[in-house]
Amino acid sequence: MIRRHGRLFRLALMLVDGATAALTSLILYQAVAHPRAPAADFLEVFWLRAIVYAVAWVALLYVHGAYRLRAHWTILGEAVPIVRATGWLALLGIAALFISATDVQGSGWALLLFPLQGAIAVGLRATVRVIFMAARRRGHNTRNVVVLGTGPEATAFARLVDEHSVLGVRVIGYLGPEPPVSDPDATWW
């Protein structure tokens, strides 16, 4: 599924990251910096900043490789570009707050926003990873493999691949002069 719909999946991930960034910034700014301000007045002033923040967050994730679908084998591999993007976002965001000098007293919310945004992005990717791993265990989104050879090493390799269904690889047969000794019912050519 991902191979056929990679661009659509990447776009959806970017839209979700942007939407969570905008909503997180809006909610956190309202809750921490101006808890008593009416929401309508608050949105009039802050909506453009939230959109700029969301675009910057998605751009930083893109630059750091968070949208490369095949580049991350583990959740740590997913988290490293997000942590880098979070660091850059914090650096750029705090610099923007100091340069603009707007609402200096209420700027403490930004110290909560940047790590929270990184945690939300890692959580989103962990959830997506769990969903796709469960789908692969059920046989969806897999690739077929023919093992070259029919000896004990080839059958041990095939068994090892079959035991790790989260890789998305399914052994469909062997290529060799005789059927595998340890798996005589297997398909071979």
Side-chain angles (χ1 to χ4, degrees), residues 20-172:
T20 58
L23 288 174
T24 303
S25 67
L26 286 170
I27 291 169
L28 199 61
Y29 184 72
Q30 173 75 29
V32 175
H34 301 288
R36 293 186 193 96
D41 296 341
F42 159 73
L43 285 175
E44 249 180 60
V45 175
F46 196 72
W47 71 269
L48 183 61
R49 292 179 192 171
I51 290 174
V52 169
Y53 171 74
V55 169
W57 175 240
V58 170
L60 283 169
L61 286 174
Y62 182 81
V63 166
H64 288 284
Y67 297 116
R68 283 189 224 136
L69 299 181
R70 293 241 174 231
H72 312 292
W73 288 92
T74 63
I75 194 65
L76 182 63
E78 296 272 2
V80 167
I82 294 171
V83 169
R84 284 188 194 133
T86 303
W88 277 103
L89 183 70
L91 183 69
L92 295 172
I94 290 172
L97 283 173
F98 280 126
I99 289 171
S100 68
T102 58
D103 199 14
V104 175
Q105 286 85 8
S107 296
W109 66 276
L111 297 176
L112 295 172
L113 176 64
F114 304 130
L116 181 63
Q117 191 65 52
I120 289 171
V122 170
L124 172 68
R125 279 152 180 81
T127 303
V128 168
R129 179 177 290 274
V130 167
I131 291 168
F132 282 135
M133 284 173 37
R136 280 189 172 169
R137 280 192 193 101
R138 284 187 247 121
H140 301 289
N141 198 28
T142 60
R143 290 182 182 224
N144 296 327
V145 171
V146 174
V147 176
L148 184 60
T150 56
E153 294 89 5
T155 56
F157 174 75
R159 208 173 307 113
L160 185 66
V161 167
D162 280 338
E163 289 171 0
H164 293 86
S165 62
V166 295
L167 294 175
V169 178
R170 184 178 56 162
V171 176
I172 60 168

